[in-house]
């Protein structure tokens, strides 16, 4: 297939022995290969600091594919795939290895016909980003002459606006914006891509998608796990930087954006960034009123004792890092006016789920009632994970002789109905990098604008330490998060 032939390239993974490579990148590439979506002229060169042979490395990857891949390794397919994988030892902070890496990549070009095309994937800790990118330039590995070179960069993209700007400056000295792929893996999830289709391909929804008909929108992403072995990283980020600055604000942009003029990459990104630009400015007073911070404490779940955040590895015993955040914000434009958006995300909650609830305005309680109470509002629920789908909650007559009303659901479960399981986010995203399509990656101005919003919150917290509320494991965060909505006569929908 010609399109695939055009994807000839070598993918250089910095951080080849890390968790991301084992859990996500290699399984995703294996699946793409399984689906014949990789060119025959493709090779993977993993770079890490440990000593190991190609054979050892390939065997370790086989274990990871067994554990984490959507398609389990099949002898023939694995044999074909493993021949494309190489491992090179390199100390990222030393210059010497880059000359050897460059020479090795030239030999790969000859062996695998990869034509000098490269994808450089930063799967390393953020403190190495700058040094690696600078060395790529210094050793002439991103000249873009007669071939192409692209950079894929994982989050965190900076830890505030200033550090993000600095990092971006380092990158743009080497790679054009069009060759820079800033990953937000949420954008690779099937249902997130479906948000625009649901909104802009259904007159039923788009015509009422505004503050006149919608009462509020809730975006929730919860996890059952704690920080596990990532305490060192998490201490510096907290839920605000780890989830809110990127995944949650990306979801908000897609839910709140105007229709783009067409489906081109830039047209879509233009509309998303406008939402971020119109976010209400978080003054210290608003932060104090509209944001709740929480941290999970110790407790027992299903008979198992779980540590609190402060007892986790590499976490300070008196840490004030938040593992939960709930906030209320406004998108200050004509479509949304004063309608509130409520966002919350946290670890050690009762379920692993990401969903968006659109709560429509209620009708006056004049004709019908439910159990002598008010009518339940109509809800449109977009389920991102683990179930993928959409459901609509509406009111119907309870069968029988009375006039009592009950809530009923129309439920479309996408991953229950499709025969094959949905591709993993990383499959879609890596395939797009290979094809040179950056629609599902974040443009610099989106990052810049989201940091501006987040920085105001972080600064307000620094100037006046906001209460940090402890919550128990397997709960929906601290009570104060419920109060945030109760105060507005609303409630979180834990559906
Ligand atoms: C990552 C965060 O970006 O997203 C993690 O760093 C979090 O802390 C993860 O666990 C959640 O991703 P997913 O796809 O499992 O919802």
């Amino acid at each position: 297939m010609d399109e695939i032939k055009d994807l000839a390239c070598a993918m250089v993974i910095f951080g080849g022995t890390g968790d991301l490579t084992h859990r996500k990148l290699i399984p995703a590439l294996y699946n793409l290969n399984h689906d014949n979506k990789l060119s025959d002229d493709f090779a993977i060169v993993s770079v890490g600091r440990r000593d190991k042979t190609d054979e050892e490395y390939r065997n370790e990857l086989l274990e990871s594919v067994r554990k984490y891949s959507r398609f389990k390794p099949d002898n023939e397919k694995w044999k074909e795939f493993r021949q494309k994988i190489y491992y090179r030892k390199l100390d990222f902070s030393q210059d010497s290895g880059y000359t050897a890496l460059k020479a090795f990549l030239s030999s790969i070009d000859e062996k695998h016909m990869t034509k000098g095309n490269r994808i450089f994937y930063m799967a390393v800790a953020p403190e190495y980003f700058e040094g690696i990118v600078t060395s790529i330039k210094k050793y002439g590995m991103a000249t873009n002459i007669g071939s192409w070179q692209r950079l894929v960069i994982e989050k965190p993209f900076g830890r505030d606006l200033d550090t993000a700007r600095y990092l971006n400056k380092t990158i743009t000295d080497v790679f054009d914006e069009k060759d820079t792929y800033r990953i937000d893996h949420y954008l690779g999830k099937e249902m997130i891509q479906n948000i625009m289709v649901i909104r802009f391909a259904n007159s039923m929804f788009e015509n009422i998608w505004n503050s006149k008909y919608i009462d509020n929108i809730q975006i929730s992403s919860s996890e059952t796990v704690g920080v596990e072995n990532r305490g060192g990283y998490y201490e510096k980020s907290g839920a605000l930087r780890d989830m809110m600055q990127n995944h949650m604000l990306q979801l908000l942009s897609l839910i709140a954006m105007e229709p783009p003029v067409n489906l081109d990459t830039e047209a879509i990104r233009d509309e998303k960034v406008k939402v971020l630009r119109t976010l209400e400015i978080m003054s210290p007073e608003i932060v104090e009123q509209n944001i709740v911070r929480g941290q999970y404490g110790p407790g027992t779940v299903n008979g198992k004792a779980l540590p609190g955040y402060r007892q986790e590895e590499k976490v300070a015993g008196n840490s004030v890092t938040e593992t939960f955040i709930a906030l209320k914000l406004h998108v200050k434009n004509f479509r949304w006016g004063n309608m509130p958006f409520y966002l919350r995300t946290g670890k050690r909650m009762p379920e692993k789920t990401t969903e968006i609830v659109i709560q429509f305005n209620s009708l006056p309680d004049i004709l019908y009632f439910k159990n002598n109470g008010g009518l339940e509002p109509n809800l449109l629920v977009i389920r991102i994970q683990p179930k993928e789908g959409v459901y609509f909650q509406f009111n119907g007559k309870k069968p029988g002789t009375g006039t009592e009303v009950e809530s009923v659901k129309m439920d479309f479960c996408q991953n229950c109905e499709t025969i094959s399981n949905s591709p993993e986010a990383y499959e879609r995203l890596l395939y797009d990098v290979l094809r040179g399509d950056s629609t599902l990656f974040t443009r610099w101005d989106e990052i810049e604008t989201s940091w501006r919003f987040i920085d105001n919150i972080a600064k307000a917290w620094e100037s006046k330490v906001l209460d940090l509320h402890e919550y128990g494991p397997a709960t929906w965060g601290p009570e104060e998060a419920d109060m945030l909505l109760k105060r507005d006569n609303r409630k979180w929908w834990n559906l």
Side-chain angles (χ1 to χ4, degrees):
M1 204 208 262
D2 280 337
E3 199 193 359
I4 293 175
K5 285 273 173 276
D6 294 342
L7 309 185
C9 80
M11 180 179 285
V12 185
I13 305 179
F14 291 94
T17 56
D19 230 35
L20 180 71
T21 306
H22 278 273
R23 282 172 185 255
K24 300 287 184 190
L25 304 184
I26 295 294
L29 289 166
Y30 177 78
N31 289 330
L32 287 175
N33 192 58
H34 184 282
D35 283 346
N36 297 323
K37 285 187 166 159
L38 292 182
S39 159
D40 292 341
D41 306 330
F42 177 77
I44 300 166
V45 178
S46 275
V47 178
R49 281 179 297 177
R50 291 178 217 160
D51 246 335
K52 55 183 90 231
T53 62
D54 286 340
E55 273 317 289
E56 283 165 345
Y57 185 61
R58 289 167 181 162
N59 291 340
E60 285 168 16
L61 294 186
L62 176 58
E63 282 313 303
S64 303
V65 172
R66 280 202 181 109
K67 257 201 223 152
Y68 303 116
S69 167
R70 194 158 66 89
F71 295 116
K72 294 305 161 203
D74 144 316
N75 271 346
E76 277 309 297
K77 291 273 180 191
W78 174 253
K79 217 163 126 195
E80 178 192 320
F81 184 63
R82 72 194 290 283
Q83 288 164 1
K84 298 176 196 275
I85 305 174
Y86 300 86
Y87 179 80
R88 280 293 165 272
K89 183 185 170 190
L90 178 95
D91 182 346
F92 309 132
S93 54
Q94 301 286 320
D95 274 0
S96 52
Y98 289 93
T99 322
L101 177 63
K102 188 179 177 189
F104 183 71
L105 289 173
S106 299
S107 73
I108 291 291
D109 283 338
E110 278 177 26
K111 189 164 174 198
H112 288 274
M113 313 301 285
T114 43
K115 300 183 182 165
N117 296 333
R118 311 267 182 267
I119 293 170
F120 294 106
Y121 201 115
M122 299 288 135
V124 284
E127 59 264 30
Y128 297 112
F129 290 169
E130 186 188 351
I132 295 174
V133 171
T134 315
S135 302
I136 288 175
K137 180 178 182 185
K138 186 167 164 194
Y139 290 93
M141 289 194 270
T143 52
N144 251 315
I145 302 171
S147 57
W148 50 257
Q149 288 84 42
R150 299 176 185 145
L151 177 77
V152 185
I153 190 153
E154 279 285 333
K155 64 179 260 281
F157 200 94
R159 74 174 310 275
D160 54 21
L161 182 56
D162 288 345
T163 49
R165 276 190 177 142
Y166 180 79
L167 175 61
N168 201 51
K169 165 88 180 57
T170 310
I171 291 173
T172 48
D173 278 349
V174 187
F175 294 94
D176 285 346
E177 176 67 32
K178 73 169 183 21
D179 295 320
T180 305
Y181 293 75
R182 299 178 195 82
I183 284 227
D184 183 313
H185 78 278
Y186 268 49
L187 297 182
K189 294 185 192 275
E190 264 304 316
M191 277 310 292
I192 290 182
Q193 292 160 45
N194 211 343
I195 293 175
M196 275 178 55
V197 182
I198 291 167
R199 288 193 50 195
F200 303 132
N202 293 296
S203 59
M204 176 183 169
F205 298 132
E206 187 44 27
N207 291 333
I208 54 171
W209 208 262
N210 57 54
S211 61
K212 270 192 234 146
Y213 299 98
I214 297 179
D215 177 83
N216 77 90
I217 294 183
Q218 302 180 10
I219 305 179
S220 299
S221 190
S222 60
E223 296 183 84
T224 50
V225 290
V227 289
E228 303 189 293
N229 54 2
R230 295 168 74 224
Y233 150 78
Y234 202 85
E235 274 287 84
K236 286 184 249 145
S237 73
L240 180 69
R241 293 180 172 91
D242 185 50
M243 292 289 290
M244 198 54 86
Q245 181 266 334
N246 37 70
H247 311 321
M248 301 296 282
L249 289 184
Q250 284 292 326
L251 286 177
L252 172 70
S253 310
L254 288 164
I255 280 291
M257 71 194 260
E258 295 301 316
V261 285
N262 54 42
L263 293 179
D264 290 351
T265 304
E266 299 313 327
I268 294 172
R269 288 163 147 195
D270 285 348
E271 294 307 330
K272 280 169 61 201
V273 79
K274 276 190 212 161
V275 174
L276 299 172
R277 286 205 189 107
T278 41
L279 291 184
E280 123 183 82
I281 295 169
M282 289 297 196
S283 66
E285 295 71 37
I286 295 182
V287 169
E288 195 168 349
Q289 272 173 27
N290 292 352
I291 303 193
V292 174
R293 306 175 75 215
Q295 187 186 72
Y296 62 82
T300 303
V301 178
N302 298 331
K304 194 172 164 209
L306 296 171
Y309 177 69
R310 291 177 181 179
Q311 287 84 51
E312 300 279 17
E313 231 178 273
K314 297 195 188 141
V315 170
N318 57 355
S319 170
V320 288
T321 302
E322 76 289 345
T323 59
F324 171 94
I325 178 168
L327 60 81
K328 168 176 163 180
L329 61 77
H330 296 97
V331 176
K332 293 284 193 184
N333 63 16
F334 269 69
R335 185 186 284 263
W336 298 114
N338 274 327
M339 192 213 81
F341 288 81
Y342 300 100
L343 276 57
R344 76 178 157 166
T345 180
K347 296 206 182 273
R348 244 330 176 253
M349 295 176 72
E351 281 171 40
K352 165 86 183 158
T353 161
T354 303
E355 62 187 25
I356 302 170
V357 180
I358 292 105
Q359 177 178 337
F360 292 93
N361 286 339
S362 296
L363 289 174
D365 293 334
I366 295 174
L367 294 178
Y368 294 107
F369 307 91
K370 186 188 163 204
N371 298 332
N372 295 327
L375 285 179
E376 289 285 332
N378 290 158
L379 302 178
L380 178 72
V381 181
I382 303 179
R383 291 185 147 149
I384 313 286
Q385 62 183 13
K387 264 199 186 166
E388 294 170 4
V390 184
Y391 83 76
F392 185 57
Q393 175 181 295
F394 60 105
N395 293 308
K397 180 183 170 301
K398 195 168 183 182
T401 49
T403 54
E404 210 179 311
V405 169
E406 65 180 353
S407 301
V408 289
K409 280 187 212 166
M410 278 198 296
D411 200 345
F412 164 62
C413 172
Q414 178 163 284
N415 54 350
C416 305
E417 300 212 351
T418 45
I419 298 154
S420 69
N421 45 358
S422 307
E424 287 269 343
Y426 273 92
E427 283 174 52
R428 170 67 200 253
L429 296 175
L430 289 176
Y431 188 55
D432 284 357
V433 181
L434 285 161
R435 293 189 304 160
D437 180 349
S438 52
T439 313
L440 298 179
F441 295 79
T442 23
R443 198 168 64 185
W444 164 242
D445 53 355
E446 293 179 73
I447 303 252
E448 187 179 32
T449 322
S450 56
W451 272 126
R452 202 168 280 137
F453 174 78
I454 295 292
D455 272 8
N456 280 333
I457 301 175
K459 276 183 198 143
W461 286 353
E462 275 159 28
S463 63
K464 182 170 183 230
V465 180
L466 218 67
D467 289 343
L468 181 68
H469 307 281
E470 187 177 303
Y471 59 97
T475 65
W476 289 102
E479 256 175 41
E480 287 73 9
D482 294 334
M483 295 308 296
L484 185 69
L485 274 76
K486 226 179 226 166
R487 205 172 74 190
D488 297 344
N489 288 323
R490 297 188 175 103
K491 63 174 183 186
W492 292 105
W493 295 98
N494 298 325
L495 298 160

